[in-house]
């Protein structure tokens, strides 16, 4: 979900663009981030307001983008506006390749920024960008199966959620292939919600570094609830794979699953594979252990930043100011994304899954804001190993969390 502009062509004088001299503002956003209707309107409005300025806009692919950005940001002619995944921002901020926008936040709707994404672009007490958009996981469910099982309302607590699983299981006991919920053993983004809901985290700062924190009572409680869902449901999902192996939306599309914890595009994929599901699905936020509240959710999404080497930084700030306005944030919401610089989600909450996203996003969080976190996800992810070891019984809870903690501390400390 990003749009990028490849290529250069920036001016060499670093001016604001008000002199009318021909200039090119190079914008990099990512594939799938913003609807073409939005970017076409945005670029036209910006160019009309800045005579002589041309917006050079191209869409970048996520595959290989970190390496491409690394090269571009250290060159003599980087792009002027870039989109970054929220887990990538700290790396480039720490490398001092992004412009400090702390003093500009108020003019970029700073009081409306989505909290979780704001955390992801804050490094060493300074803000190196602004939030673009986000999405988070919700519980996607079969409305017809809920009704048949006597479940009259979407769960609003963990206890109600477990009760719904038990009712679905009982109502479909004659079908050996039925799963009340499909929950793979390594869905660690889901695990984050349970750990955060307990007041824990997967890592904590220790001085200038970070260390693992999954051996705390709070983190262990989150892991135990994950196991409770697996055991209660009898899910047939593999315990040594995540939601992509196999794609859980494909499993949901078989019609033999009551619920899955997924993203909007996964619901869209399931409906595409099985159009009969279109009128039979709903969504609700991941419930908290506290009745009536939503659990914290991992916010996947993007930030926008200005490279430190941009020769058109003033123009780039004006571009971001326009993009952060309510007009364009509403267009993002209409496209199904949680807007990054507007708390108004009216345009998003027009579908069941959009409503669930809007309800849970304000309680969203991100992974630890450290450049070292990328190595956790890219390597032998200790959180995945911990889940598999505990769920299969290969290791008791204390041993599984201790081993994961040691691995996290080693990676983050390095």
């Amino acid at each position: 979900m990003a749009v990028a502009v490849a290529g250069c062509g920036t001016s060499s004088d670093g001016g604001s663009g008000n002199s009318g001299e021909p200039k090119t503002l190079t914008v990099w956003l990512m594939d799938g981030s913003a609807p073409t209707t939005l970017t076409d309107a945005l670029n036209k409005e910006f160019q009309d307001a800045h005579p002589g300025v041309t917006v050079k806009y191209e869409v970048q692919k996520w595959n290989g983008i970190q390496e491409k950005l690394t090269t571009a940001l250290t060159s003599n002619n980087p792009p002027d506006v870039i989109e970054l995944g929220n887990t990538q921002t700290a790396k480039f901020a720490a490398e001092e390749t992004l412009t400090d926008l702390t003093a500009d936040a108020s003019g970029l709707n700073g009081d409306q920024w989505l909290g979780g994404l704001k955390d992801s672009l804050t490094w060493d007490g300074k803000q190196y960008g602004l939030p673009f958009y986000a999405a988070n996981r919700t519980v996607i469910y079969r409305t017809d199966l809920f009704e048949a099982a006597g479940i009259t309302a979407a769960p609003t607590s963990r206890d109600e959620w477990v009760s719904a699983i038990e009712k679905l299981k009982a109502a479909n006991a004659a079908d050996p292939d039925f799963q009340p919920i499909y929950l793979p053993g390594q869905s660690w983004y889901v695990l984050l919600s349970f750990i955060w809901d307990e007041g824990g985290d997967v890592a904590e700062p220790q001085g200038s570094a970070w260390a693992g924190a999954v051996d705390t009572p709070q983190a262990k409680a989150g892991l135990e609830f994950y196991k409770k869902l697996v055991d209660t449901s009898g899910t047939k999902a593999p315990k040594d794979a995540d939601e992509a192996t196999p794609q859980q939306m494909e499993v949901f599309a078989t019609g033999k699953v009551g619920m899955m914890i997924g993203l909007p595009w996964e619901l869209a994929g399931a409906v595409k594979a099985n159009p009969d599901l279109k009128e039979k699905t709903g969504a609700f936020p991941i419930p908290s252990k506290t009745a009536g509240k939503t659990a914290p959710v991992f916010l996947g999404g993007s930030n926008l930043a200005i490279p430190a080497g941009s020769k058109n930084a003033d123009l780039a700030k004006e571009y971001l100011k326009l993009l952060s306005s309510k007009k364009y944030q509403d267009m993002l919401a209409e496209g199904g994304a949680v807007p990054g610089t507007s708390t108004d989600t009216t345009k998003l909450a027009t579908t069941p899954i959009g409503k669930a996203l809007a309800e849970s996003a304000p309680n969203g969080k991100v992974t630890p804001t450290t450049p070292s976190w990328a190595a956790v996800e890219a390597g032998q992810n200790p959180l995945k190993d911990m889940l598999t070891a505990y769920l299969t019984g290969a290791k008791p809870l204390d041993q599984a969390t201790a081993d994961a903690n040691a691995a996290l501390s080693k990676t983050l400390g390095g």
Side-chain angles (χ1 to χ4, degrees):
M1 300 175 78
V3 191
V5 180
C8 300
T10 54
S11 166
S12 60
D13 60 15
S16 66
N18 295 326
S19 65
E21 297 177 4
K23 292 185 179 181
T24 299
L25 187 77
T26 303
V27 178
W28 285 16
L29 297 182
M30 303 303 300
D31 185 26
S33 287
T36 303
T37 51
L38 184 157
T39 54
D40 285 350
L42 172 69
N43 293 335
K44 182 180 187 304
E45 182 174 350
F46 186 80
Q47 290 177 157
D48 288 348
H50 298 82
V53 175
T54 299
V55 176
K56 185 175 183 180
Y57 174 81
E58 296 177 4
V59 176
Q60 301 289 345
K61 299 291 185 181
W62 281 110
N63 187 30
I65 189 59
Q66 183 150 310
E67 294 76 11
K68 189 169 187 176
L69 283 171
T70 298
T71 300
L73 293 178
T74 55
S75 72
N76 292 325
N77 203 18
D80 301 298
V81 175
I82 58 172
E83 178 178 353
L84 296 162
N86 60 12
T87 59
Q88 297 174 320
T89 309
K91 172 185 184 298
F92 292 111
E95 293 171 354
E96 300 183 347
T97 56
L98 303 179
T99 298
D100 177 5
L101 295 180
T102 307
D104 302 282
S106 60
L108 299 170
N109 284 338
D111 62 340
Q112 297 279 301
W113 288 5
L114 190 60
L117 290 189
K118 180 180 178 181
D119 292 342
S120 75
L121 56 82
T122 303
W123 176 255
D124 199 22
K126 299 177 181 178
Q127 292 164 356
Y128 289 90
L130 76 158
F132 188 13
Y133 68 87
N136 55 264
R137 286 162 178 79
T138 64
V139 184
I140 298 166
Y141 71 101
R142 288 278 301 276
T143 54
D144 58 329
L145 295 178
F146 266 47
E147 182 179 355
I151 306 167
T152 58
T156 58
S157 70
R158 281 188 187 175
D159 288 343
E160 290 182 0
W161 194 12
V162 172
S163 176
I165 289 173
E166 292 172 335
K167 289 179 179 178
L168 284 170
K169 189 175 183 179
N172 295 274
D175 185 350
D177 296 323
F178 181 77
Q179 301 180 68
I181 188 171
Y182 182 82
L183 182 58
Q186 293 187 345
S187 293
W188 67 278
Y189 287 116
V190 174
L191 174 66
L192 289 178
S193 284
F194 305 151
I195 291 177
W196 288 335
D197 192 42
E198 293 287 348
D201 211 331
V202 292
E204 296 176 344
Q206 285 192 354
S208 59
W210 287 70
V214 292
D215 61 346
T216 64
Q218 295 86 353
K220 290 179 181 178
L223 193 57
E224 287 177 313
F225 182 70
Y226 194 110
K227 189 173 188 297
K228 184 175 183 177
L229 289 181
V230 169
D231 292 345
T232 302
S233 67
T235 178
K236 302 179 188 303
K239 294 182 174 62
D240 59 352
D242 60 21
E243 66 278 6
T245 311
Q247 288 286 350
Q248 67 175 2
M249 63 181 179
E250 296 175 358
V251 180
F252 190 78
T254 64
K256 299 287 188 177
V257 174
M259 290 179 270
M260 69 174 176
I261 307 169
L263 294 160
W265 65 266
E266 291 180 291
L267 173 58
V271 171
K272 183 177 180 180
N274 182 357
D276 289 343
L277 295 178
K278 185 175 182 180
E279 305 300 327
K280 299 178 181 178
T281 53
F284 57 88
I286 297 174
S288 168
K289 68 175 184 177
T290 303
K293 293 188 176 182
T294 64
V297 287
F298 171 72
L299 285 176
S302 289
N303 298 322
L304 297 169
I306 300 173
S310 168
K311 298 179 176 65
N312 291 305
D314 290 342
L315 269 177
K317 290 176 184 179
E318 292 178 33
Y319 187 88
L320 293 183
K321 183 177 181 179
L322 184 59
L323 180 51
S324 67
S325 67
K326 188 175 185 304
K327 172 183 177 180
Y328 291 104
Q329 293 298 298
D330 280 350
M331 291 178 73
L332 278 173
E334 285 176 340
V338 180
T341 62
S342 174
T343 56
D344 184 355
T345 54
T346 305
K347 300 291 186 180
L348 174 62
T350 57
T351 64
I353 196 164
K355 186 174 183 293
L357 289 172
E359 289 177 6
S360 51
N363 198 19
K365 300 181 68 173
V366 292
T367 50
T369 308
T370 166
S372 300
W373 185 259
V376 172
E377 296 191 32
Q380 186 70 25
N381 190 325
L383 299 176
K384 288 187 172 185
D385 292 343
M386 174 183 69
L387 278 163
T388 295
Y390 178 50
L391 294 175
T392 60
K395 295 178 183 178
L397 179 62
D398 289 348
Q399 187 63 54
T401 54
D403 290 349
N405 217 55
L408 285 167
S409 296
K410 181 178 180 181
T411 300
L412 295 174

